[in-house]
Amino acid sequence: MEIKVYEGYDLEELIQKAKEELGDDIKILHYETVEEKKFFFFKGRKKYKLFVETVDDEELTEPVVKFEELLEKVEELIDRKIKTSLPKIAQNIASPENLPPHISLENGAGTAVFNEFTGDALHLLNQLVGKDVLPEVAKKLVKEGCGLDIDTNKWDLNTLTEKEALIKGIKRYIKFTGAFDKEDGKLKIFAFIGPTGVGKTTNLFKIASQLVIDKKKKVAVISTDTFKVGASHQARTYANILNIPFYSISESKKLRNTVEELKNFDFILIDTVGRSHYDYWRLGEIKEILSGLEEEINHVLTISCNYKNDDAFEVVHKYQTFFTIHSLFFTKIDETLKPGLLLNLPVETRLSVSYISTGQRVPEDLKVLTPEVTASYLLG
């Protein structure tokens, strides 16, 4: 018995070559696929290794596999490998329930938008669109982790995993503030703004808890929400638990004076009343109250992850007409299966991101956003 190895780029040609050299009575042990080294950004070609066992004369009386039957089995193995590694993309696209609301089957967007990608890159794009990531955003991010596949002349991933590819794109296109922390020795003021019901008060006190308990910082909280029944009482209760100063203020001058009294503190966190982004009059009132500290305040816009894309972009646009946004603070990630906003908003608006709220518990359910954390929420 002798084992011979044949190498080349076409599996069928290798089998035929083995048959010509050793005769029809050969036994295929197995085959391997090897990807050659990349050349710059070009993806290496796939090379096959075929392991063949020659048959002795004594063994010729035993039944042997027909070449046609063997080729069919090899083709079945290849097909099975492809099906297990790649999703049925065409089937997914053709199914309306798998399409996010911004893609329509009528205009062909679901099939034509990714025609320059192939393989694992196409799989990753399909996953992101399924999580409500806008197609153009998905393309921009995924392409950062791609190289040009020579065989197809299309873009495919050049990273070991899909998550690594997505992280590369996120690092390229999204800015992260990191944790709110004191670095330069100056007083830091953060005002939490946003629509009603997104969780501003709860998440403000998650930040306060981390700063007080973990960082040992001097923190004070000011609430300008004197409209909602019970809002001030809830905030004061949190402040009492943390044993930090709490103030309820509705006038710009008084706010300025209070901040002056707290100049020796490390952080001042300001809770504002929730207002519809279409209520210009009420947004103007919030701006008026904060106007005395406009250059000192970092405005943190809180956005719920269960918003639709169009609604979230409208919120950002309207609030930006009144405030200079320091960062986006995402809430209620636990209430959605399609958190595409984590990518869509920062990529399209170019605003930095800071934190994400993962539940209602104070202070546990809070994470600092990083490229790795963001990718995990999109890919699981």
Side-chain angles (χ1 to χ4, degrees), residues 181-198:
D181 205 348
K182 188 176 182 181
E183 298 174 355
D184 53 12
K186 296 180 180 179
L187 170 65
K188 297 288 182 65
I189 305 175
F190 292 93
F192 287 69
I193 59 177
T196 303
V198 295

Side-chain angles (χ1 to χ4, degrees), residues 22-23 151 217 265-266 283 305:
L22 305 176
D151 293 333
K217 302 296 183 181
F265 275 65
D266 298 315
L283 289 179
C305 287

Side-chain angles (χ1 to χ4, degrees), residues 51-71:
F51 295 81
V52 179
E53 177 184 345
T54 59
V55 181
D56 297 332
D57 292 338
E58 298 176 352
E59 300 174 323
L60 291 179
T61 57
E62 298 179 3
V64 294
V65 179
K66 299 286 186 180
F67 171 75
E68 291 78 12
E69 294 176 355
L70 177 62
L71 188 57

Side-chain angles (χ1 to χ4, degrees), residues 192-207:
F192 287 69
I193 59 177
T196 303
V198 295
K200 290 187 299 297
T201 303
T202 301
N203 287 290
L204 178 150
F205 276 99
K206 289 178 185 178
I207 299 292

Side-chain angles (χ1 to χ4, degrees), residues 11 58 63 66 70 92 96 142 206 213 215 228 283 322:
L11 185 59
E58 298 176 352
K66 299 286 186 180
L70 177 62
N92 287 341
V142 171
K206 289 178 185 178
I213 298 172
K215 305 292 185 178
K228 187 171 65 176
L283 289 179
F322 288 86

